[in-house]
């Protein structure tokens, strides 16, 4: 049986939080306000064994080269990366480096708008198409995160802030290219799961899939060992593609340890989200990750989430369920409801997924 707790109520009239960028820049801040203290114990050590903890690298060009032998080899590698890690670095992805850099630069300009200008984009509800804010869920958070964000729904309908000039056009092109990448990756993943090549694309009607563009800004933090950028969590969709400026900070959990994801240029990090875990009936697990902060330079990351259409009801692929040996491990839920649940959950890594997990298997 799935757990079925009631979601906590949202306090409606709490005051708005200041953006962390303004806080960081205000009058020579030397320590963080106490509500940003996340780590009370020394930070957990990061894995250092390069053999055991080197993140898999997938060469995208081999997936589309037209050479069947290369393709089947890379599909195997892709499957292994998904099973062993829940994510991978993606190289030779074909998205021009100049485009990625231009989008990151435009994000920086957006975050440099005055607080007054940004206020125009501060959406209030889960499905407001444009939301600019701070921390995780804003005023609901008990501990605040050292992070400002801009989140925009870019598919099936494209929305975008009209400032700075040209930002929308760049983002449109970037997001279109990422959808194409994700489709190819999901085709490879379908094959690896033993499903027909276009299974995920067709069954989940990716032509109307939900795509969410999130830009994260992590300003330098005077006490990085105490604060967190984003606490451990999994992403809701099928696959998230992450790009970043030259400053690292993303960490992924692997065999119980945190592993740093290097900020390599012209390379994406791709991670599995909860809905690919559900669809694969648990063969792949969504990746627990977090973002830490530093006291030297501003970090910007772009995390573009790709999911099914909002009204899709997702359950494990029938082909992967066998009532005796592989019973369905998750109960069906509408993607839109899942997103609503995730918005109101506290800082805890797999809380939302646990709501649809079948217990006592
Ligand atoms: C996210 C996320 C990590 C990062 O936006 O969901 O996990 O490195 N971001 O910014
Ligand atoms: Ni994430």
């Amino acid at each position: 049986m799935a757990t079925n707790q009631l979601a906590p109520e949202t306090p409606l009239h709490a005051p708005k939080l200041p953006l962390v960028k303004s806080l960081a820049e205000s009058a020579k801040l030397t320590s963080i306000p106490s509500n940003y203290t996340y780590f009370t114990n020394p930070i957990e050590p990061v894995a250092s064994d390069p053999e055991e903890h080197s993140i898999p690298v997938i060469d995208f060009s081999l997936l589309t080269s037209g050479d069947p032998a290369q393709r089947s080899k890379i599909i195997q590698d892709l499957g292994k990366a998904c099973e062993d890690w829940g994510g991978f670095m993606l190289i030779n992805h074909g998205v021009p480096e100049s485009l990625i850099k231009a989008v990151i630069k435009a994000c920086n300009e957006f975050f440099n708008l005055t607080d007054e200008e940004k206020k125009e984009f501060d959406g209030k509800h889960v499905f407001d198409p444009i939301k600019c804010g701070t921390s995780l869920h804003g005023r609901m958070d008990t501990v605040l995160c050292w992070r400002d964000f801009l989140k925009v729904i870019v598919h099936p309908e494209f929305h975008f802030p009209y400032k700075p000039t040209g930002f929308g056009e760049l983002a449109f092109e970037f997001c279109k290219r990422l959808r194409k990448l994700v489709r190819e990756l999901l085709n490879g993943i379908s094959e690896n799961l033993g499903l027909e090549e276009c299974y995920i694309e067709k069954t989940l009607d990716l032509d109307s899939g939900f795509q969410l563009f999130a830009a994260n800004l992590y300003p330098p933090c005077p006490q990085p060992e105490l604060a967190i950028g984003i606490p451990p969590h999994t992403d809701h969709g099928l696959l998230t593609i992450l790009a970043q400026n030259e400053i690292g900070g993303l960490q992924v959990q692997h065999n119980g340890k945190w592993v740093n994801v290097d900020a390599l240029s012209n390379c994406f990090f791709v991670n599995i989200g909860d809905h690919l875990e559900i669809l694969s009936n648990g063969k792949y697990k969504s990746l627990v990750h977090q973002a830490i902060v530093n006291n030297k330079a501003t970090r910007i990351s772009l995390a573009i989430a790709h999911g099914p259409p909002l009204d899709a009801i997702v359950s494990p692929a029938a082909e992967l369920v066998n009532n005796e040996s592989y019973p369905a491990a998750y109960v069906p839920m509408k993607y839109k409801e899942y997103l609503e649940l995730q918005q109101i959950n506290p800082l805890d890594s797999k809380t939302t997924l646990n709501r649809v997990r079948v217990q006592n298997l």
Side-chain angles (χ1 to χ4, degrees):
M1 243 193 41
T3 51
N4 189 21
Q5 303 149 6
L6 282 177
E9 291 288 322
T10 314
L12 284 175
H13 303 293
K16 266 228 132 351
L17 295 167
L19 295 177
V20 80
K21 182 171 190 295
S22 319
L23 177 69
E25 287 168 0
S26 62
K28 304 229 180 335
L29 194 72
T30 53
S31 62
I32 58 173
S34 60
N35 48 354
Y36 285 89
T37 304
Y38 176 81
F39 291 107
T40 42
N41 295 317
I43 289 190
E44 298 159 57
V46 171
S48 52
D49 175 357
E51 282 288 297
E52 199 194 336
H53 295 288
S54 71
I55 298 174
V57 177
I58 297 294
D59 181 341
F60 184 78
S61 65
L62 300 183
L63 204 57
T64 48
S65 69
D67 176 335
Q70 273 186 341
R71 181 171 161 84
S72 74
K73 164 82 173 63
I74 203 72
I75 285 180
Q76 261 182 24
D77 292 351
L78 184 60
K80 195 163 161 32
C82 291
E83 271 189 68
D84 295 352
W85 280 80
F88 47 89
M89 312 294 301
L90 190 69
I91 58 166
N92 296 328
H93 47 62
V95 181
E97 191 171 4
S98 55
L99 178 61
I100 307 171
K101 287 205 158 131
V103 176
I104 292 177
K105 183 164 172 274
C107 288
N108 193 31
E109 286 164 18
F110 176 85
F111 287 117
N112 278 338
L113 298 174
T114 63
D115 287 4
E116 202 51 42
E117 284 174 293
K118 279 183 273 193
K119 217 186 229 159
E120 187 184 341
F121 306 109
D122 75 352
K124 286 169 190 60
H125 304 288
V126 193
F127 296 110
D128 282 348
I130 302 180
K131 283 193 298 184
C132 169
T134 193
S135 192
L136 203 64
H137 308 321
R139 59 204 177 159
M140 297 242 343
D141 302 339
T142 42
V143 174
L144 298 180
C145 305
W146 198 262
R147 165 221 190 200
D148 292 335
F149 63 81
L150 167 67
K151 288 186 186 180
V152 191
I153 299 177
V154 287
H155 200 264
E157 254 178 47
F158 182 78
H159 303 268
F160 228 75
Y162 63 91
K163 288 178 194 174
T165 314
F167 193 13
E169 284 80 358
L170 285 169
F172 183 82
E173 180 62 26
F174 181 66
C175 293
K176 188 172 79 181
R177 284 171 180 261
L178 292 195
R179 286 198 299 279
K180 214 164 145 237
L181 270 187
V182 164
R183 203 173 278 238
E184 289 289 347
L185 289 171
L186 288 174
N187 284 349
I189 285 174
S190 292
E191 257 186 85
N192 193 272
L193 286 169
L195 303 166
E196 117 192 35
E197 188 186 325
C198 297
Y199 181 93
I200 299 178
E201 175 180 344
K202 280 196 203 138
T203 326
L204 293 181
D205 182 20
L206 290 192
D207 282 343
S208 308
F210 181 73
Q211 189 185 28
L212 183 72
F213 174 102
N216 302 302
L217 178 94
Y218 307 96
C221 173
Q223 292 177 296
E225 69 290 353
L226 298 183
I228 189 84
I230 304 189
H233 68 284
T234 56
D235 295 342
H236 46 74
L238 296 160
L239 291 176
T240 299
I241 303 219
L242 188 125
Q244 48 192 335
N245 66 354
E246 65 287 4
I247 313 297
L250 174 63
Q251 295 186 329
V252 300
Q253 212 168 63
H254 181 63
N255 294 341
K257 293 219 171 103
W258 288 111
V259 179
N260 288 323
V261 178
D262 295 335
L264 304 175
S265 77
N266 207 16
C267 174
F268 292 135
F269 182 72
V270 181
N271 74 266
I272 289 184
D274 294 346
H275 278 75
L276 194 49
E277 175 168 337
I278 296 171
L279 188 96
S280 74
N281 201 24
K283 183 164 188 217
Y284 301 157
K285 302 280 188 280
S286 57
L287 179 65
V288 177
H289 55 286
Q290 66 179 6
I292 56 166
V293 293
N294 74 82
N295 58 7
K296 297 191 176 63
T298 295
R299 172 164 186 256
I300 291 185
S301 69
L302 311 176
I304 322 299
H306 299 79
L310 283 179
D311 59 2
I313 298 173
V314 186
S315 52
E319 291 76 355
L320 302 178
V321 173
N322 168 316
N323 287 336
E324 260 139 52
S325 39
Y326 297 106
Y330 310 84
V331 295
M333 184 184 273
K334 199 183 256 193
Y335 184 46
K336 182 164 191 263
E337 283 164 20
Y338 193 93
L339 287 177
E340 283 163 348
L341 269 182
Q342 201 193 34
Q343 279 296 313
I344 48 180
N345 271 322
L347 313 179
D348 195 354
S349 55
K350 280 206 171 186
T351 341
T352 318
L353 194 60
N354 288 337
R355 300 275 187 103
V356 295
R357 204 187 294 278
V358 176
Q359 310 291 313
N360 313 323
L361 264 185

